[in-house]
């Protein structure tokens, strides 16, 4: 096994790619009404997902999505050696009572809305280290559990400024494998499959912003830092990618990101996409700046991005989920809202 | 580089050990008054650590501990390629405003009081995968921020049952390296050093217990599962270890663990130690069942366990931090308290 090249201060290029064998996405009706509505595996019309509490609803959503990713690949939970998962709730309780209940050895993560990027990163590292041959990566968010966790009781009916994002009710899960997917695997086309070929680990960036209703602005500096370092570490430019996806900067965060990168002479606008902008149609859906939450980039990856890589329409993308690191306590105590973003290079692979 | 052997369903033996180059521990006066009081690097008499809030106090504690681990090794934060850290607070805010502020590329973790085991595990896997040559692993907890997060305002002065544990105010940090520590490194003796040679990933175990004042009972099944699987995966028995350390089961959890293992014909009592029992002297310190919190096993590892491995007094130990996966929301909604425990094999290495 050749040694993996560590390219720069915080990037790694894998000598053996990690294949994405299967992916699943489940959302609520709101996301199904958006532009990507036809692409999700399952839409649950009941926002309670048959449960009594918002937290249980999110746990059920996440566990069901993980189960779907496993069953779509024709596997059972015994075939998965490790799981990396997280969510937005305090003590990641949606995960602890969600997919963690599947009995798979489990490492819990917290990276705010960047968590699916962190899960794919650590899953890739574990497999590269030789710890098993298949890992499950999953995240979730729920509009109502997140509003309860971070902001106001829904019954208050408070006004949301136009810079606010709407937390996606959804969960995305992927199975990574050291082997290419078999011929009948869900993420394999006649032309090939999708694989992770490199990572850039995020650093916490804090520009001192304190507005929890403008999280795109809080996260944009972290996205800029990760994207610029990734280009530098891998010796690439935007022309080496078909698209660069940020997690959920929304329309305000996107503008800040593009301006910040322009200052570093990186012109990303022709290939930049943001999962938070893609998932809803504003103003018709009244979501304002876009979507957010741990589930946002995870469901867009599973439903929209991966199929285009598998088909060969896109040869290489950089996936950069972004997270705003706040709690209601830190916010109420007047702390700033630092951001973080983890970069994952995903490429089309012929098999 | 030889392939690492994946021994069982959730264990890995490293063909190249990961060396523990440096470790630091900082605690408050309460821990300094306990049996290990002379072993900590620093004792801060001010439980506010010079800050205005309990949360900022914990962040400052954790950041200072990480900084100490780095400086004890004669390094600066630029020498550390990745950081794995976490704590107990919602959205791991002690970490996000603590050591994450050091500017080191950062993966955030949540594993309740098992987090230092998770950090050492994922740090070892990242280095084995070739992602850098040095990682920092850090966790923290604070009695007052934890009581505020999970239980009652301190001012209520509520009675604590004898099964309750006392959250350690403390932070522990370790630096892992792919190379043996140099001759003047803090964790090197004339005889050798300490290194991680294997892992067993934890599974969530839920026996349906709902008593947040008896977390030892909630975590014991997870500790049993991890220890039994580790013995099985590595083909070892208790006689292959000088000691097996659980994180913070306390005196009630310890009894349950030993009983559960006895049912599997594993007699652990001669070599079992529990960080939560070691750190306080009860009843003189009025801590009841023992210590707990993300900082508990981390400071015991850094101050008490690692020096004995470095000196060669202990040749091999199994370190099994244990976590109780509850939030105040899940507890108040009547959910059970699942447990998790991650196993790390640490051995004396001649250099």
């Amino acid at each position: 096994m050749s040694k993996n090249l560590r390219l720069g201060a915080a990037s790694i290029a894998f000598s053996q790619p990690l294949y994405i064998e299967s992916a699943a996405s489940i959302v609520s009706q709101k996301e199904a009404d958006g532009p990507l509505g036809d692409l999700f595996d399952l839409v649950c019309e009941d926002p309670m997902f048959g449960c009594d509490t918002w937290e249980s609803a999110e746990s059920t959503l996440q566990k069901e999505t993980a189960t779907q990713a496993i069953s779509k690949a024709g596997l059972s939970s015994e075939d998965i050696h490790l799981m990396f998962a997280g969510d937005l709730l305090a003590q990641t309780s949606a995960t602890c009572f969600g997919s963690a209940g599947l009995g798979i050895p489990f490492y819990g993560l917290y990276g705010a809305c960047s968590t699916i990027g962190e899960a794919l990163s650590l899953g890739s590292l574990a497999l590269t280290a030789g710890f098993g041959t298949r890992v499950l990566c999953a995240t979730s968010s729920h509009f109502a559990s997140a509003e309860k966790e971070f902001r106001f009781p829904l019954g208050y009916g408070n006004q949301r400024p136009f810079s606010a994002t709407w937390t996606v009710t959804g969960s995305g899960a992927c199975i990574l494998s050291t082997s290419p997917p078999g011929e009948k695997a869900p993420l394999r086309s006649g032309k090939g499959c999708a694989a992770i070929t490199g990572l850039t680990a995020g650093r916490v960036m804090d520009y001192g912003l304190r507005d929890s209703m403008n999280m795109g602005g809080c996260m944009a500096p972290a996205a800029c830092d990760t994207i610029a370092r990734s280009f530098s570490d891998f010796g690439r430019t935007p022309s080496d990618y078909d698209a660069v996806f940020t997690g959920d900067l929304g329309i305000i965060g996107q503008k800040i990101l593009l301006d910040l990168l322009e200052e570093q002479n990186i012109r990303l606008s022709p290939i930049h996409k943001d999962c938070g902008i893609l998932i809803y149609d504003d103003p018709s859906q009244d979501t304002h700046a876009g979507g957010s939450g741990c589930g946002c980039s995870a469901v867009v990856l599973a439903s929209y991005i991966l199929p285009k890589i598998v088909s060969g329409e896109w040869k290489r993308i950089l996936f950069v989920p972004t997270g705003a690191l706040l709690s209601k306590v830190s916010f109420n105590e007047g702390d700033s809202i630092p951001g973080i973003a983890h970069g994952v290079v995903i490429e089309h692979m012929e098999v």
Side-chain angles (χ1 to χ4, degrees), chain A residues 84-306:
Chain A
F84 293 87
D87 62 88
L88 291 175
L89 302 185
Q91 291 79 43
T92 64
S93 65
T95 301
C96 295
F97 294 94
S99 53
L102 292 172
I104 302 167
F106 162 63
Y107 290 120
L109 310 180
Y110 184 76
C113 308
S114 76
T115 304
I116 190 67
E118 184 180 354
L120 294 171
S121 299
L122 295 176
S124 297
L125 291 171
L127 291 178
T128 300
F131 202 170
T133 56
R134 277 196 185 97
V135 302
L136 175 71
C137 306
T139 63
S140 63
S141 53
H142 191 298
F143 173 77
S145 65
E147 290 297 304
K148 174 175 164 184
E149 178 74 31
F150 291 102
R151 298 187 188 88
F152 301 101
L154 294 181
Y156 279 12
N158 67 300
Q159 294 277 337
R160 302 168 62 250
F162 285 112
S163 60
T165 48
W166 187 280
T167 304
V168 165
T169 299
S171 173
C174 292
I175 294 174
L176 305 186
S177 171
T178 51
S179 305
E183 283 186 21
K184 292 185 178 173
L187 284 179
R188 170 148 171 187
S189 70
K191 294 188 174 171
C193 63
I196 294 172
T197 60
L199 307 174
T200 299
R203 297 190 296 192
V204 170
M205 301 297 285
D206 187 356
Y207 276 28
L209 299 183
R210 286 178 164 75
D211 183 358
S212 74
M213 294 293 190
N214 178 12
M215 299 212 292
C218 299
M219 298 187 289
C224 172
D225 180 65
T226 299
I227 292 168
R229 286 188 297 115
S230 184
F231 284 157
S232 167
D233 288 349
F234 287 94
R236 291 180 186 150
T237 66
S239 64
D240 292 308
Y241 288 94
D242 292 304
V244 173
F245 286 88
T246 47
D248 39 21
L249 297 182
I251 52 172
I252 292 176
Q254 180 186 48
K255 186 168 180 344
I256 299 171
L257 170 68
L258 296 176
D259 286 353
L260 288 171
L261 285 170
E262 198 85 46
E263 288 174 11
Q264 301 192 39
N265 296 313
I266 297 171
R267 189 159 167 270
L268 199 70
S269 56
I271 58 159
H272 181 251
K273 294 172 190 285
D274 183 75
C275 299
I277 297 175
L278 289 165
I279 197 167
Y280 296 124
D281 181 57
D282 193 76
S284 81
Q285 290 194 279
D286 198 30
T287 47
H288 299 351
S292 61
C294 286
C296 179
S297 47
V299 301
V300 174
L301 176 73
S303 66
Y304 174 70
I305 300 174
L306 288 177

Side-chain angles (χ1 to χ4, degrees), chain A residues 63 67 70 77-83 95-96 98-106 136:
Chain A
K63 192 172 188 174
T67 303
I70 295 169
S77 58
E78 289 76 29
D79 299 313
I80 312 295
H81 298 125
L82 279 178
M83 189 178 77
T95 301
C96 295
S99 53
L102 292 172
I104 302 167
F106 162 63
L136 175 71

